Amino acid sequence: MYRALASRGLRAKSLFDNKSSSFLASFTSSRLNHSIPFATVDAEEISGAHPAEVQSFVQGKWIGSSNYNTLLDPLNGEPFIKVAEVEESGVQPFIESLAQCPKHGLHNPFKSPERYLLYGDISTKAAHMLALPKVSDFFTRLIQRVAPKSYQQAAGEVFVTRKFLENFCGDQVRFLARSFAVPGNHLGQQSHGYRWPYGPVTIVTPFNFPLEIPLLQLMGALYMGNKPLLKVDSKVSIVMEQMMRLLHYCGLPVEDVDFINSDGKTMNKILLEANPRMTLFTGSSRVAEKLALDLKGRIRLEDAGFDWKVLGPDVQEVDYVAWVCDQDAYACSGQKCSAQSMLFVHENWSKTPLLSKLKDLAGRRKLEDLTIGPVLTFTTEAMVEHMENLLQIPGSKLLFGGKPLKKHSIPSIYGALEPTAVYVPIEEILKDSKTYELVTKEIFGPFQIVTEYKKDQLPLVLDALERMHAHLTAAVVSNDPIFIQEVIGNSVNGTTYAGLRGRTTGAPQNHWFGPAGDPRGAGIGTPEAIKLVWSCHREVIYDYGPIPQGWELPPST
């Protein structure tokens, strides 16, 4: 299946095809031997007969473990990857490694500034590597093996990662540490503001974007001078393990990053005993809130997103809007923190074939090309049960989907559901808190709620948005500036798309992506996000004098 998918997939053309580089030349010669010098696995060969092994990395060395977490292939149930997970008895080397990094970091504006240049060079080389079709295809197919999604979706993740690295080549890393100065009160006095690292930090990331989320946060931490310990969900950690090997190949100092595979309990022990100065957590709200307490607030969060889209009164380009709604709700089988969870449809749109077109688009999705696929955190039974509970609400109805996928070998620990949409009247959604909590429960799969509102019911829509707990992405699909102003002015979501082409998913590397409304909220991808998450403000006030002529000792005050 994967070989066929790859042959139909995207092939990103390198932006550097016409640039000469000894680094690329050395890699090109190795490509003639049909090998990728850093890789220790072949994505197409991983199977029950040839399982891959994933290791951890600490204090400059790759390490194994006698404790293996054997992963099942999400498509056929074969035990195909063995993850050597560190047990609680083996955490000391990771704790000691973090302790070796001082609070002022591995570099800062006053210490080892040449390392800003080093990371500009590493980013350049890593971006060059990901621009090579063979390497891009390697990571795309590896992502597909552990988090099954279409080739185009997986390739898009690799593309965004490469563009991020390109954005921080050359001098761009040191520009992140740009300072400012303000004149003082007298001659010889100036105050300077600097971006300062935290020192030892930890990063915990989920399964749904095995490369993009951990790599972007890892590099942001390194750019600012921190020493990170990275933990990726074991279900997909093989992707980042291979990326770590690529980064070492591109010059990453081996002592700068540790990488651990473990269960949650073991990682929690490390966090409590190592006492990192800052932790970035991307994942469920339940775990996020626990960690916020455990770590006494020294944390940044990008947690769950029950994301909404409002279709405004001005109807146009129905085919395009239906296509974007399908992509937002069901690409990657709905397993995006930015996926469209609730669609508010203005009555004017209900007079169009929008919903029938959305049903037809959802019906095109099939397991063969992974445009629909396994759901890794919800079982089929759990999703069907949620649907049945929704259908008990007066006036609700199943618009399409709702049935388990057929003719597949997806193991029962995962979910396999058709793209599904359930209509619930907006008056019922807001009727009581119990119903509201049921309707807005996040199902991390191909599942969305659809509701309709009339021209005088926008306040009901805004009330529904106000009650939500997660504020990650949103879309206001309208070219009516007054309508857009009303909705945006009365909502919170940190990444909001407005206009006819508004979407909730597909965030690139060129704008902020993150929640709003929470002082712990983390961003990703942009200079602003990196500085917010991975550095703090330090003020240094210079006061050289001279002392005023004729100065005398004043009275005590």
Side-chain angles (χ1 to χ4, degrees):
M1 174 183 285
Y2 294 99
R3 192 182 302 275
L5 289 169
S7 68
R8 293 197 296 268
L10 301 177
R11 295 294 188 271
K13 181 175 175 60
S14 169
L15 295 180
F16 306 103
D17 285 346
N18 298 320
K19 294 185 179 181
S20 61
S21 165
S22 59
F23 174 78
L24 279 180
S26 66
F27 181 74
T28 302
S29 65
S30 68
R31 288 181 65 219
L32 297 177
N33 296 322
H34 307 288
S35 65
I36 297 177
F38 62 83
T40 59
V41 299
D42 184 327
E44 291 183 355
E45 299 300 324
I46 301 173
S47 64
H50 300 95
E53 183 175 331
V54 184
Q55 297 180 313
S56 296
F57 189 84
V58 64
Q59 297 182 1
K61 296 178 182 179
W62 290 102
I63 63 169
S65 170
S66 59
N67 176 45
Y68 283 100
N69 178 7
T70 300
L71 307 179
L72 303 184
D73 188 318
L75 290 177
N76 60 31
E78 285 188 356
F80 76 138
I81 296 175
K82 298 192 300 179
V83 182
E85 291 193 337
V86 175
E87 297 179 279
E88 289 188 57
S89 59
V91 301
Q92 199 57 37
F94 295 90
I95 294 172
E96 292 173 356
S97 184
L98 282 175
Q100 291 169 7
C101 179
K103 294 177 184 178
H104 53 261
L106 299 177
H107 61 264
N108 60 53
F110 287 73
K111 171 188 171 182
S112 303
E114 64 277 3
R115 284 174 51 89
Y116 293 115
L117 304 182
L118 169 67
Y119 275 98
D121 291 342
I122 293 169
S123 297
T124 300
K125 293 175 181 178
H128 275 281
M129 291 288 280
L130 289 182
L132 295 166
K134 189 178 184 74
V135 176
S136 174
D137 182 69
F138 167 78
F139 280 108
T140 298
R141 290 182 291 116
L142 194 57
I143 290 169
Q144 285 189 292
R145 295 307 309 271
V146 293
K149 57 183 83 173
S150 71
Y151 191 93
Q152 287 81 358
Q153 287 287 320
E157 183 176 343
V158 178
F159 177 79
V160 167
T161 302
R162 170 167 68 89
K163 298 300 292 183
F164 167 85
L165 290 167
E166 289 173 4
N167 285 348
F168 294 98
C169 295
D171 289 322
Q172 296 305 314
V173 174
R174 68 166 140 200
F175 289 162
L176 291 170
R178 190 192 305 271
S179 61
F180 64 86
V182 177
N185 294 330
H186 50 255
L187 184 63
Q189 186 185 74
Q190 277 190 343
S191 59
H192 288 243
Y194 296 96
R195 298 311 300 179
W196 216 254
Y198 291 104
V201 300
T202 48
I203 303 170
V204 182
T205 64
F207 75 92
N208 56 330
F209 286 89
L211 179 65
E212 181 181 338
I213 294 176
L215 190 280
L216 268 60
Q217 294 291 12
L218 175 68
M219 297 308 290
L222 290 166
Y223 292 157
M224 299 311 295
N226 302 289
K227 175 171 181 171
L229 167 60
L230 172 64
K231 182 198 179 319
V232 181
D233 188 318
S234 290
K235 290 192 292 291
V236 300
S237 62
I238 190 172
V239 178
M240 202 59 204
E241 187 225 41
Q242 294 299 300
M243 188 66 200
M244 284 281 294
R245 296 178 188 275
L246 181 150
L247 291 172
H248 289 154
Y249 183 78
C250 294
L252 173 71
V254 294
E255 64 275 7
D256 280 14
V257 182
D258 295 328
F259 174 75
I260 188 170
N261 296 292
S262 73
D263 61 17
K265 185 179 179 183
T266 299
M267 188 62 193
N268 199 73
K269 178 181 175 68
I270 292 175
L271 292 175
L272 293 176
E273 294 188 12
N275 196 29
R277 304 297 298 172
M278 217 290 290
T279 293
L280 179 282
F281 176 78
T282 305
S284 76
S285 295
R286 179 184 59 83
V287 177
E289 294 300 333
K290 178 189 185 305
L291 290 177
L293 291 173
D294 288 348
L295 300 174
K296 299 179 174 62
R298 295 190 305 275
I299 194 168
R300 289 282 184 176
L301 304 174
E302 198 251 281
D303 54 354
F306 188 87
D307 306 298
W308 50 263
K309 179 182 289 180
V310 176
L311 304 186
D314 47 324
V315 176
Q316 49 190 314
E317 303 291 351
V318 176
D319 286 340
Y320 179 83
V321 171
W323 173 73
V324 175
C325 286
D326 172 74
Q327 287 291 108
D328 282 346
Y330 305 125
C332 299
S333 301
Q335 295 172 104
K336 297 184 179 183
C337 51
S338 57
Q340 176 182 299
S341 301
M342 181 174 282
L343 179 64
F344 295 88
V345 180
H346 189 279
E347 61 180 337
N348 292 350
W349 285 91
S350 299
K351 301 170 186 176
T352 74
L354 174 77
L355 293 181
S356 64
K357 288 180 180 293
L358 189 54
K359 178 180 178 180
D360 292 342
L361 289 167
R364 299 191 308 173
R365 296 183 173 275
K366 52 187 183 293
L367 187 59
E368 288 77 12
D369 60 6
L370 295 180
T371 49
I372 192 70
V375 176
L376 301 190
T377 55
F378 278 86
T379 63
T380 305
E381 292 75 18
M383 290 186 285
V384 170
E385 180 184 6
H386 179 64
M387 177 190 70
E388 292 172 346
N389 290 337
L390 289 168
L391 293 176
Q392 300 301 310
I393 299 172
S396 64
K397 59 184 176 181
L398 179 65
L399 295 178
F400 53 82
K403 298 177 182 178
L405 296 179
K406 299 177 180 178
K407 298 179 181 179
H408 67 80
S409 52
I410 296 170
S412 59
I413 59 171
Y414 300 133
L417 188 72
E418 294 177 350
T420 298
V422 174
Y423 173 84
V424 183
I426 192 166
E427 298 87 353
E428 293 294 331
I429 293 174
L430 297 170
K431 198 169 189 177
D432 56 64
S433 59
K434 184 177 179 181
T435 302
Y436 185 84
E437 291 299 322
L438 173 63
V439 172
T440 58
K441 177 182 178 180
E442 183 182 19
I443 300 297
F444 213 55
F447 200 105
Q448 68 170 322
I449 303 296
V450 178
T451 192
E452 179 186 284
Y453 68 102
K454 301 185 184 306
K455 63 180 181 180
D456 60 348
Q457 290 185 313
L458 183 59
L460 296 183
V461 175
L462 298 178
D463 184 22
L465 305 185
E466 176 67 19
R467 294 190 195 183
M468 291 183 186
H469 302 299
H471 306 294
L472 183 54
T473 69
V476 186
V477 181
S478 173
N479 279 348
D480 180 341
I482 303 301
F483 180 83
I484 291 174
Q485 180 175 284
E486 181 75 7
V487 177
I488 292 182
N490 288 278
S491 58
V492 178
N493 296 43
T495 305
T496 301
Y497 299 88
L500 176 64
R501 300 185 66 172
R503 63 189 195 273
T504 65
T505 66
Q509 71 298 324
N510 61 294
H511 67 63
W512 164 279
F513 183 85
D518 187 336
R520 305 166 302 177
I524 190 171
T526 62
E528 293 77 18
I530 292 171
K531 286 184 279 190
L532 173 76
V533 174
W534 294 116
S535 68
C536 57
H537 182 85
R538 184 182 188 185
E539 195 85 0
V540 177
I541 299 90
Y542 296 96
D543 207 343
Y544 296 114
I547 305 300
Q549 192 171 11
W551 181 88
E552 295 181 358
L553 184 67
S556 299
T557 60

